[in-house]
Amino acid sequence: MNDRSLIQRVVLVVGLVWWGTFIASTSAFAQDLLVAKYTYPFEVKHFDAAGTPVGPGGTFAIDASMSFPSGIAYGPDGHLYVANEGTGDIQKYDGTTGAFLSTFITGSYGVLESPKGIVFDSTGDHLIVTSNDTPNSLLRYDAITGAYVDDLFSSLPVGVSIGTPWGVAVGPDGDIFCAGQSTNNILRFDGTTGAYVSEFVPFSVGGLVTPSGITFGPDGNLYVIEYGVPSLIRRYDGITGASLGVFVSAGSGGLSRANFLLFGPSDGNLYVSSGDTANILRYDGTTGAFIDIFASGSGLIMPTGLAFTPIPEPTMILLVPVAIGLLRIRRMKQ
C-alpha cells in the first residue's frame, strides 16, 4: 500500500464519520409525534415531523379494549404505553407498528382507577402513573413486569395534600413531580426512594389554577398547563419552584382545555394538545410565541397524551458510515 492510497482511505473514513454526525444532527432523523384521541373510536394518531398524518387515517394504534386514552409514553423497551381512563388499565403497543401487545397493568378498585398521566423514571426501572379517582394516587410499577411497587402519596406528611393528580414529570435530577388539579399545587418526590421531598409549587403560587399537564424544558425549568377556557402555560424555576410568570398567554393560537405538553427533541419547540380546538399547537420553545397549528384533521378530536417516537442513538447512526468505510477499505485491499 502506498502513501497516497493510505491517505485516500483515511479521508474516506473521516468523511463518512463526519457525514454520520451531520445527518444525526439534522431533521433527517426528526421524530414523529403520537397523539392519544379521547373520543370514540379511541386510538393513537400518528403525525410526521411536518405534522402530516401517517398511515391509513393517520392511525398508529387502535384496539377494541382502548377506552378514553389519556397519557402515553414510550418505555425503555421501545414500546408505547397508553393509560386508559375508561378501563383503568395501562396497555402496551408495539412501538414501531402500533400492534396491540398486552394489558401491561390491570386496573383495580381502590388502587389504579382513571389513570391520567404516565412517565418512566430516569432509570427506566419504574412506570409512574397518576390515578385521579378515589383514592388519589401516584403509583409506581415495575417497568418490566408491571408489578405494583408502591404509592408515593403514602409518604405525604400531615398537612400536605394533593387532589385530582394529573400531570407527572421527571426532573433533570431524576426527581418526580406531580400536579394536583383540584389543589392547585405541584409536589416533588425523590426519584430513587419515592419519598416526599417538598411542595415544589405551593397552593396557587404565581396564580396557578387547575394545573393539568407538566413537563421540564431544555432550560431545566418546569412548564405547567392551566386547564381552562382558555388555557395558558406557566413557567417555574426548575430548582426553586419560584414563579417565572406566564410562558404562553391565555388562548394563544386558540389554546383551550389543554391537556398535555412536550418539548420537541429535534427543534426544542413546545407542543400542546388543545382539546377544544382538536389540534396540536406549537410554540417557540424559548419565547412561548405561537408558531402554528402543527397537527389537525384525520379524526383528531379531543387530543390528550403526546409522545415523540424514538430515534436511533447517535452512536448507532455513526456506526453505519464507519462500517461502510471499513468495508470499502477492505475491498480496496483485495
Side-chain angles (χ1 to χ4, degrees), residues 169-175 177 188 200 215-223 235-242 244 263 268 285:
V170 176
D173 60 359
D175 281 355
F177 297 75
R188 180 178 189 170
F200 187 68
T215 192
F216 280 86
D219 59 2
N221 292 320
L222 180 66
Y223 294 76
R235 177 167 53 180
Y236 293 86
D237 187 282
I239 297 175
T240 67
L244 298 178
F263 280 88

Side-chain angles (χ1 to χ4, degrees), residues 15 41 83 124 136 147-148 164 222 259 296 302 323:
N136 292 324
Y148 172 78
T164 319
L222 180 66
N259 291 284
S296 63
M302 188 56 75

